Amino acid sequence: MNIDMTLQGRVAAVVGAAQGIGKATAEALAHLGAHVVVMDRNAESVDASVAELQQAGFEASGAVVDVANSKQVRDVMAKVTADRGAFDILVNCAGVACHGDSLELEDSEWDRIMSVNLTGAFWCAREAGRQMISLGKPGSIVTIGSISGEVANVPQHQTAYNASKAGVHTMTKCLAVEWAKRGIRVNAIAPGYVETELTRGGLENPVWAERWADLTPMGRVGQPHEIASIAAFLSSDAAAYMTGSVVVVDGGYLSM
């Protein structure tokens, strides 16, 4: 049996790669041999992440993009193909969150969450898909969803975030069906609570942190590399028969 997880010679764009799950994913794909294009909205963070990868001996380049800006997304995805002559993998890790009473949620905050987490995820998938199809080669698209797309979280309230991630999960399935015959696999990962910049505030809240741990059978939060390893698997030929899947990585949270 030959289980092929090498990404040697492939080009992988990782959106939101300057920190957290995105940064860990960029490192994982690089370790498997991919040329990684680090994408994030902060130029300094992009440069720093690219430098770290290059100093470790990996092939990497960078691009600044705001996923909420469809023109920027279109231009940067096209540039990957123009610069590298290939576009094999997209992993979209960009995301934002907010918590609070839904009765007090501002229109602008709802729009912000949706524009990054759902609309931005679609812009990225659409433009990467266009590049992959234009090249006539198989491709893999992975988007980071969340267990919050499947359940209502407690003790915090986060309706906008949960709705955006539920949309990501459904979008994943729709694109997977639509593009399957064109050789593009589309999957999502639904992490549980992972120690990142996005969850730091919650982990510093003793009430929230204790409740999260109590509701997770493994009794702990995950680490970015534990999600990145799944993203690497889904990006590789080892997952060649997987598309339209939402892979839950949550320490057992949804099993409770």
Side-chain angles (χ1 to χ4, degrees):
M1 180 185 294
N2 180 26
I3 300 176
D4 186 5
M5 283 193 65
T6 182
L7 299 177
Q8 198 68 43
R10 299 190 189 182
V11 175
V14 182
V15 184
Q19 61 184 15
I21 292 171
K23 185 173 184 179
T25 297
E27 293 169 355
L29 298 181
H31 271 283
L32 292 178
H35 176 101
V36 176
V37 183
V38 173
M39 296 186 179
D40 207 276
R41 63 183 301 175
N42 183 284
E44 291 183 2
S45 297
V46 168
D47 291 344
S49 295
V50 170
E52 284 184 32
L53 289 171
Q54 291 177 340
Q55 288 167 8
F58 300 123
E59 292 187 16
S61 55
V64 176
V65 64
D66 177 357
V67 300
N69 184 317
S70 63
K71 183 180 185 305
Q72 278 190 31
V73 173
R74 181 170 62 251
D75 291 347
V76 80
M77 296 299 175
K79 192 173 186 300
V80 172
T81 302
D83 289 349
R84 308 304 311 174
F87 198 138
D88 304 290
I89 298 160
L90 168 71
V91 183
N92 182 17
C93 305
V96 292
C98 69
H99 309 104
D101 188 339
S102 294
L103 296 175
E104 306 301 325
L105 183 66
E106 297 288 343
D107 295 359
S108 59
E109 190 67 352
W110 174 274
D111 290 342
R112 181 180 75 92
I113 299 297
M114 291 298 167
S115 68
V116 173
N117 293 359
L118 180 53
T119 305
F122 177 72
W123 297 154
C124 290
R126 181 186 66 182
E127 299 308 325
R130 284 174 171 167
Q131 296 305 313
M132 293 171 183
I133 289 168
S134 73
L135 291 163
K137 294 175 58 181
S140 173
I141 295 173
V142 180
T143 300
I144 302 300
S146 173
I147 58 167
S148 303
E150 304 293 328
V151 295
N153 299 85
V154 290
Q156 76 277 19
H157 305 300
Q158 49 186 49
T159 296
Y161 180 81
N162 291 36
S164 71
K165 292 301 185 177
V168 165
H169 295 177
T170 300
M171 177 194 76
T172 295
K173 296 173 184 178
C174 292
L175 293 180
V177 171
E178 186 175 346
W179 293 344
K181 287 183 169 54
R182 309 189 84 159
I184 300 175
R185 298 185 298 106
V186 188
N187 294 289
I189 302 173
Y193 293 105
V194 178
E195 187 177 1
T196 67
E197 291 77 3
L198 205 62
T199 59
R200 180 160 294 127
L203 290 171
E204 291 172 351
N205 181 321
V207 175
W208 288 19
E210 182 178 359
R211 190 71 183 278
W212 293 354
D214 287 345
L215 290 173
T216 303
M218 291 185 73
R220 67 173 178 86
V221 298
Q223 295 300 314
H225 73 269
E226 294 176 305
I227 309 304
S229 63
I230 306 302
F233 165 70
L234 291 172
S235 299
S236 75
D237 290 344
Y241 197 52
M242 288 186 69
T243 196
S245 295
V246 178
V247 182
V248 176
V249 190
D250 68 348
Y253 188 101
L254 291 188
S255 298
M256 293 285 279

